[in-house]
Amino acid sequence: MISHMALIASCCWFTPLHAEDAEDSIIVTGKSLEETLPQELSRYGHDIVTVDARQIKDSAALDVARALESVPGLYIRSQSGPFSYVDVALQGSRTQDVLWTWDGIRLNNRLYGTTSPNDTLPASMIERVEILRGGEGLFYGTQAAAGVINVVTREFTEDFNGQINGSVDSFAGTSVDGYARGSIDRHKFVVYAAHNRSEGYRPYSRIEPSATDRKRGYDVWSAGLKYQFELTDDLKLNAFWQHTEANLDNLTPIRVNKSRNDRNEEIASLRLDYTGSDTVQFFLKGYFHDWKTAYVNIRNPIPAGPPIILYPPGTFWGYQDYGGSAVVKLRPHRGLEYLVGYDYQSFKGRDDVLLIAPTKERVHAGILQVRTTDDLSRKTRLAAGLRYNKAKQAEKTIWNVSGRYDFSDAFFAEANGGTSFVLPDASQLYGNDPCCEIGNPNLKAEESLNLNASVGGNIASDSGLFQWKATYFNRRITNLIDYDYDNPSFPNGTYINVPNKVRARGATLELNAALDGGLTANASYTWSRVRNPGSSVQRDRNPKQYARVGIGYAPADKPFGANIAVIWAGDIYSTLPGFGRRNYGNYAVVDAGLHFYPDAGRKHRFGINVENLFNKEYASGGYRRAVSDAGVLDGTNSPFLYYLRGVPRTLRVSYGISF
C-alpha cells in the first residue's frame, strides 16, 4: 500500500496536496499532443506546478493572478486588485519573461511586453493552470525565457453537468458565473459565461485633490464555447471561442476626471488531433487573438475650469495575433521517439495613445525534439531538442536538453537546461511619444542560457503522505533590454541592450503534507539573486526572498472545510531619478476562508473568504512619481512619490450550486 501511494505521489508531486470534491476533479478525456505537452515535458525533467479548480475555489479567486499566488517560485502581485496588470517574478525573472497561454493560445501583448493579459482572464472558467518553471523556448518561442503559464478552461465530459456560482464582497463587488458541459453522440461541448464588477478601492498611497475619480473599478463580461466532434475514435476536431468585454479604470493620483480602457477581446482556435497510433500522432492548429482597446482620458483643470479632453473616447490601441502550428510525434522504433513541429505567428498592432505607428511582425519556427521511451529505461528519461526561429528582428537557433531519473518510487532527480530568447516589443523598437522613452529600432533580441535542477521525493507513513522538492535555478541573459536615461539626446529615456551578461540565480524549497482526517499543509521559500554586470545590488522589482505557508482542513466525512495562508515578500526595490532607491517590500499578508455544504450530496456550497485578514498596508507595484497640485499651481513642477496599494481587507461571501 505504501509503495502504491509513493508511486502515485512521484507522478503527481507537482500538485499541492489538498482534499478535493468530485465536481472539481481534473478531467482529461482527450490525448491531444498539445493538451498533454506540459505534462509530457514534466516526465522529461521540466519543472511543473499545477493549480486545479478546487484550489482556485478555496481561495475565492476572481482572476488568474489571484489563482496563482500559491505557486512555489512565483512572485505575483496584482497592481490594483482583481483584473489589473501584475508584477511577476518567476525564479528571478521579469514580467515580460513569462509567456501566458489560454488553452494553448498565445496571449502576450507584443506592443508592450510588460503588459500582462490578466485583466481579461476570469478564474471561474479554469479547470487547471499549468506553470512550467524555467526556460521553455523550445516549444513556446519568444517570451517563455523564464517559464509558461498555461490556463486550461473547463474540459469535456461524457455526462451532462455544470455549476452556477455567485459572490459579493465588501467593496460592492459582484461576481456571477456558470458553465454547462456534456455530450450528444460524437459531439461534446462546454459553454460558460462570467460577469465580474466592482467599484474597486483607492489604489494609491497618495491622491491629490484634483483627482475626482479615486477608485479603480472594473466591469468584465466573458463568454466561451468549446466544441469537439469525433470524426473517428482516433481523429477529433476541436473548436474554441471566447469573447470578453471589459471596462477597466486606468487611474493616476492627480487630475483624473475619467480614465478608462474599454476592451473588446476575441480568442479562437481550431485544432485537428490524431491520437490513434503509438507510431504516429499529430495535431494541426490555427489560432486568432484580437485585442481592441478604446481609451479615454479626461483631466480636471487646475485651479478651475471645464474638463480637458486629453484623449477623446475611442482613442485606439490594440493588436491582432494569429498563426498556426503543427506537431507530429513519431515512434518508428523502440527506445526513441521524435517530435517534429512548425510554428507560425503573425502580429500587428498600433497605439494612438503612446504613439506607436502601425507595426507588423512575422515569425517562422521549426522544432525538433528527440526523447527516450520506457522501452529503453523506465527509470531514466532524456530529451534534447532544437528550435530555429526566424523573425524580422532576429534569426535564432536555440536548444534544450532535459532529463529525469527515478532512484526509487520515493526519490527523483531532474534537470532542464538550454537557451531561450525574448524579442524586443513594439514600444521598445518604435515608441515615438515625446512624453516617454523613445524606441530603439537597433535593439537585439535577448538570449538566455538557463538551468533548472531539482531533487525531490515523498514519504508515505501511517499518518499521511509527505512531499518535498528543492530546486536550483540559474539564468545568464545576453543583450538584456533595459531603460537608459543617461543619453542627453533622449531626455525622457530610451532603450538599450545592457552590455555583458545579467545573472539571475537562486533556489526554491517546497514542502507538502496530506495527513489523515483531511488536514493538509504546504510551504515554499524562494531566494533569488538578480544583478546587472558589476553591480552589488538586486535589480529593481525583483524580490530577494518570498515565501508562502498554507494550511487546509477538509475532512471527507464532514460538511465543511477551512484554509489559511500567509504570503511574505522580502526586500523589493524601485529606483526613481531624484529620489534614489527605495524598498517597498518586507510585508506579510494573511488570507483565510471557510466553506460548508448544507446538503448530503454536496451540490450546494457556501463560502466566506477574507483577503488580507489583518488589513496590512503594503505596496503592490513599487514607487512612482507625479507632480503635485501645488507644483502645477506655482510652476515649480515639484514631484512627489507614491506607491500602488495592495488589496485592503476584503470580505467575500459566495454560493454555488452544481448540477
Side-chain angles (χ1 to χ4, degrees), residues 285-297:
K285 178 180 179 178
Y287 75 91
F288 176 79
H289 182 207
D290 186 73
W291 167 297
K292 292 185 175 69
T293 297
Y295 180 62
V296 57
N297 190 339

Side-chain angles (χ1 to χ4, degrees), residues 370-409:
V370 182
R371 57 197 193 190
T372 63
T373 66
D374 289 346
D375 297 333
L376 192 63
S377 173
R378 291 184 177 273
K379 287 183 173 290
T380 305
R381 301 185 187 96
L382 301 173
L386 296 172
R387 179 188 180 102
Y388 169 72
N389 199 85
K390 185 175 182 179
K392 182 179 179 181
Q393 293 87 18
E395 187 172 345
K396 292 285 184 183
T397 298
I398 62 171
W399 57 269
N400 178 266
V401 294
S402 64
R404 174 175 169 129
Y405 182 74
D406 293 305
F407 293 91
S408 68
D409 291 342

